[in-house]
Amino acid sequence: MPSDLGIDEVLQHVQSTISTKQNLDLLKPYMKDEIFAALNQMHPCKAPGPDGMHAIFYQKFWHIVGDDVTSFVSDILHGYSSLDLVNRTNIALIPKVNEPKTTAEFRPISLCNVLYKLVSKALVMRLKLILPGIVSENQSAFVPGRLITDNALIAMELFHTMKKRSKGRKGTIALKLDMSKAYDRVEWGFLHDSILFARSNRRECEAIVDILNKYEVASGQKINYEKSEVSFSKGVRQGQRDELMSVLNMRQVDRHEKYLGIPTVVGRSKKAIFAAILDRMWKKLQGWKEKLLSRAGKEVLLKAVIQAIPTYLMGVYKFPCSVVEKIGSAMARFFWGQKGMRRKVHWRSWAAMCTPKCLGGMGFRDLSVFNDALLGRQAWRLVFKDGSLLSKVMKAKYYPNCDFLDASLGYAGSYSWRSIWSSKSLVKEGVIWRIGNGSTVNVWRDPWVADELGRFITSKPCEGINQVSDLIDFSRFEWNEDLISAHFNERDQKCILTIPLSLREPKDLLTWAFSNDGLYSTKTAYMLGKGCNMDDFHRVWRTIWGLEVTPKV
């Protein structure tokens, strides 16, 4: 059980980060609009709790039940009523293995009542506004603007450095902690793997052990030292390892297999990394009797289940072409059918099947392009989230003297870095400058105009004009039409003069050209990678696939 004394000892080292204004905002009474906004954040038809009510009931009939729901939820939030009234849960046990025999081989999922979830959702909506300021930057999950893959990528870079570190430098250790999974002990909020990095000396190892001991006393949780692991960088001598192992009391491994579901070290051969993905997809396909599914049913299965399996790993690593081809072949065989070892006729190539529906195809994902689009999201964040911990690590290691878009691949980089860097060309193809004061945008080299001919100036460069700011009359804050007409062709003149200028003289902003808000989206990046003109979709195909009829081929 948690100890009050232990908690007090820990909290005395925690600095207060909530301001008086933030505290007053958190303490404000909950209003009806706030409860309704929280309700609309909930999925309408998720599995119901013991009362059998879905969120869609409250959403559709809010004009009838809204006052009663608000009063009920507010009384709980304000401390007037007990949560016991709705704290009833159906526990669904999801098997983690094919033939589970013990409780430990199930993953428990709680199906709560909607009103219970509405209470927690209302709290979350208030808290998420201040979470970035109170949750340290090395915690990347559940905070708006951060991705769980940030921590995974940072860990991959540290493991890569440990693997490549020369013997003459100071050694490093990595500790992967495992928490005891006893159901009366674990708090399900602590779901993620924890990895600690430190210098390989006795003082830091003893400090870590002391902190873990205090954590156990304060939280009531226990570290499972038998399953916890420690690994060392190349520069740590065997004698030093033995000394530190006696302090840590954990088992030593050459490398940690996975962190947050991602292999930690990638060698020259990529087969071992992606073999598990291929095996998992194949088992999913084998588990369905193809004779029982129509072509439309197979389409739904492939798109909703099979294509989703590699998505997480594709956001971190570039899949080799051979792996993508194997996945495509497996999906094609399942879709067209196969009798024993003899496959049926494939009436269209898989490449044609991966053409978007709006262009006459079946809309299956081209996984190679989709892989680039997902990696492009990481590249985009390295450019526009330059204050994040991941961006700081990558910049310090690979491009200390420039930004990501100008960075070279370099030598001996990690596989995750090479994967993200490979998507840079796709990102650069879709960016465009939004002109503010024009001081940071080069007229001739940067993308800053837009029409059907592209995003670059087509006129010949001339002396005396370098930055876009050279084309602006700052006395009136308008375009210098005389200068523009004298040095640019008719197309460029039209593009430049249609760009609005603001009297506030904001800074220039690099944006994504294919979204309304200027932010990168995987969907538009995928369409760009497929070579689609997003302003010229075949409307007839969009109409056909939009019909409310059975999607039978």
Side-chain angles (χ1 to χ4, degrees):
M1 294 293 293
S3 165
D4 291 338
L5 291 176
I7 293 175
D8 291 339
E9 185 179 2
V10 171
L11 291 181
Q12 68 178 340
H13 301 288
V14 178
Q15 295 181 349
S16 175
T17 58
I18 302 295
S19 67
T20 302
K21 182 182 182 304
Q22 289 174 328
N23 192 45
L24 291 174
D25 289 338
L26 291 173
L27 293 173
K28 288 190 304 185
Y30 283 85
M31 308 302 291
K32 183 177 180 179
D33 290 344
E34 198 170 2
I35 303 300
F36 185 53
L39 177 64
N40 286 329
Q41 292 288 316
M42 297 170 61
H43 191 284
C45 296
K46 288 286 187 179
D51 64 3
M53 300 294 289
H54 294 277
I56 191 172
F57 168 79
Y58 300 96
Q59 293 167 346
K60 293 294 184 181
F61 298 102
W62 182 255
H63 61 286
I64 298 175
V65 302
D67 290 337
D68 291 335
V69 171
T70 300
S71 176
F72 182 85
V73 172
S74 297
D75 283 349
I76 293 175
L77 289 168
H78 298 150
Y80 303 136
S81 299
S82 172
L83 195 61
D84 293 342
L85 297 172
V86 288
N87 191 11
R88 301 289 185 270
T89 302
N90 288 335
I91 302 294
L93 297 178
I94 309 299
K96 296 190 286 187
V97 297
N98 290 332
E99 297 181 359
K101 297 179 180 178
T102 65
T103 306
E105 294 175 331
F106 289 91
R107 180 178 289 108
I109 302 295
S110 296
L111 306 179
C112 305
N113 288 315
V114 170
L115 292 177
Y116 176 91
K117 289 189 285 188
L118 190 54
V119 172
S120 61
K121 178 66 73 173
L123 289 170
V124 167
M125 289 188 66
R126 281 198 180 181
L127 285 172
K128 73 178 183 180
L129 299 176
I130 63 171
L131 281 181
I134 62 177
V135 178
S136 60
E137 62 180 351
N138 61 316
Q139 300 296 322
S140 59
F142 310 120
V143 178
R146 303 181 192 178
L147 293 178
I148 192 172
T149 51
D150 285 2
N151 274 9
L153 286 167
I154 292 171
M156 301 308 115
E157 293 304 321
L158 291 170
F159 284 126
H160 175 261
T161 300
M162 290 175 64
K163 179 182 177 183
K164 299 296 182 180
R165 187 180 292 275
S166 64
K167 295 183 179 179
R169 299 179 182 178
K170 293 182 179 179
T172 308
I173 61 171
L175 298 86
K176 184 178 180 183
L177 305 181
D178 184 89
M179 306 304 296
S180 294
K181 299 298 192 296
Y183 290 103
D184 62 344
R185 183 185 303 280
V186 72
E187 293 180 16
W188 292 108
F190 193 89
L191 289 175
H192 303 306
D193 299 336
S194 294
I195 286 190
L196 309 178
F197 293 92
R199 297 183 182 88
S200 55
N201 60 59
R202 189 180 186 92
R203 183 178 63 83
E204 294 202 7
C205 288
E206 289 177 343
I208 289 174
V209 171
D210 181 56
I211 291 171
L212 293 178
N213 290 337
K214 290 179 179 178
Y215 170 79
E216 288 182 329
V217 173
S219 67
Q221 297 183 13
K222 296 291 290 184
I223 308 295
N224 188 336
Y225 285 93
E226 293 182 357
K227 292 186 177 180
S228 297
E229 303 170 345
V230 58
S231 62
F232 296 87
S233 63
K234 290 176 62 177
V236 183
R237 300 185 305 274
Q238 186 59 49
Q240 189 178 4
R241 295 187 184 196
D242 294 339
E243 178 187 1
L244 298 181
M245 289 296 296
S246 65
V247 175
L248 297 170
N249 196 28
M250 300 177 185
R251 62 190 180 98
Q252 180 182 346
V253 295
D254 292 331
R255 66 178 185 180
H256 308 281
E257 290 299 322
K258 289 185 178 182
Y259 174 58
L260 297 176
I262 299 174
T264 57
V265 178
V266 181
R268 292 185 178 180
S269 175
K270 311 298 184 293
K271 292 182 180 179
I273 298 177
F274 303 107
I277 291 286
L278 290 168
D279 184 60
R280 184 180 170 194
M281 296 177 75
W282 182 246
K283 286 181 178 178
K284 286 283 186 183
L285 292 174
Q286 291 289 87
W288 288 87
K289 300 294 184 182
E290 63 179 64
K291 293 181 180 179
L292 303 178
L293 292 174
S294 65
R295 287 276 166 78
K298 292 179 180 179
E299 178 192 356
V300 172
L301 175 66
L302 289 173
K303 290 181 177 179
V305 180
I306 304 303
Q307 290 186 156
I309 291 175
T311 299
Y312 179 62
L313 197 58
M314 279 185 166
V316 177
Y317 290 146
K318 175 70 174 176
F319 278 41
C321 293
S322 60
V323 174
V324 174
E325 289 173 0
K326 288 180 180 178
I327 294 174
S329 296
M331 290 195 292
R333 287 196 301 270
F334 179 80
F335 183 80
W336 293 111
Q338 184 172 342
K339 288 185 178 180
M341 297 301 294
R342 185 169 61 88
R343 72 177 190 176
K344 295 182 180 180
V345 176
H346 293 201
W347 295 105
R348 295 296 301 275
S349 69
W350 190 249
M353 300 283 281
C354 289
T355 302
K357 284 186 174 182
C358 54
L359 298 178
M362 283 294 295
F364 289 106
R365 283 178 185 163
D366 183 329
L367 291 181
S368 180
V369 177
F370 187 62
N371 194 179
D372 289 336
L374 288 173
L375 291 169
R377 180 177 60 173
Q378 301 289 2
W380 179 267
R381 296 182 77 252
L382 291 181
V383 176
F384 293 94
K385 297 284 186 179
D386 53 0
S388 69
L389 184 58
L390 174 62
S391 293
K392 293 176 184 177
V393 170
M394 290 295 198
K395 182 174 180 63
K397 189 173 181 180
Y398 296 114
Y399 49 98
N401 301 316
C402 62
D403 61 26
F404 173 78
L405 293 179
D406 296 322
S408 60
L409 179 59
Y411 300 97
S414 68
Y415 188 54
S416 53
W417 161 251
R418 287 183 278 127
S419 297
I420 295 173
W421 189 91
S422 70
S423 69
K424 186 173 70 169
S425 59
L426 176 63
V427 173
K428 293 181 76 171
E429 191 177 347
V431 297
I432 187 170
W433 281 97
R434 183 179 296 169
I435 300 302
N437 56 28
S439 61
T440 56
V441 182
N442 186 278
V443 173
W444 316 105
R445 296 196 305 269
D446 292 333
W448 63 284
V449 296
D451 68 356
E452 64 278 1
L453 297 179
R455 296 167 291 119
F456 292 88
I457 292 294
T458 57
S459 304
K460 293 183 179 180
C462 59
E463 294 184 3
I465 298 177
N466 297 307
Q467 305 304 110
V468 174
S469 57
D470 297 333
L471 306 176
I472 299 175
D473 182 352
F474 285 97
S475 63
R476 298 178 299 164
F477 214 79
E478 297 177 353
W479 292 109
N480 189 331
E481 296 189 26
D482 293 337
L483 182 64
I484 292 171
S485 61
H487 295 91
F488 294 87
N489 60 39
E490 185 176 348
R491 176 263 179 183
D492 291 346
Q493 292 179 38
K494 182 179 179 181
C495 289
I496 295 171
L497 294 176
T498 55
I499 298 175
L501 297 175
S502 172
L503 294 174
R504 295 182 292 107
E505 299 188 34
K507 293 182 179 180
D508 303 316
L509 181 65
L510 193 61
T511 65
W512 185 249
F514 303 104
S515 62
N516 294 330
D517 58 5
L519 300 178
Y520 181 93
S521 74
T522 304
K523 180 180 180 179
T524 55
Y526 174 79
M527 300 302 289
L528 179 65
K530 289 291 291 180
C532 300
N533 184 344
M534 280 165 279
D535 296 324
D536 191 30
F537 283 158
H538 296 305
R539 299 186 183 277
V540 63
W541 285 107
R542 298 181 68 179
T543 302
I544 291 174
W545 287 108
L547 295 175
E548 295 185 2
V549 297
T550 303
K552 187 173 183 179
V553 178

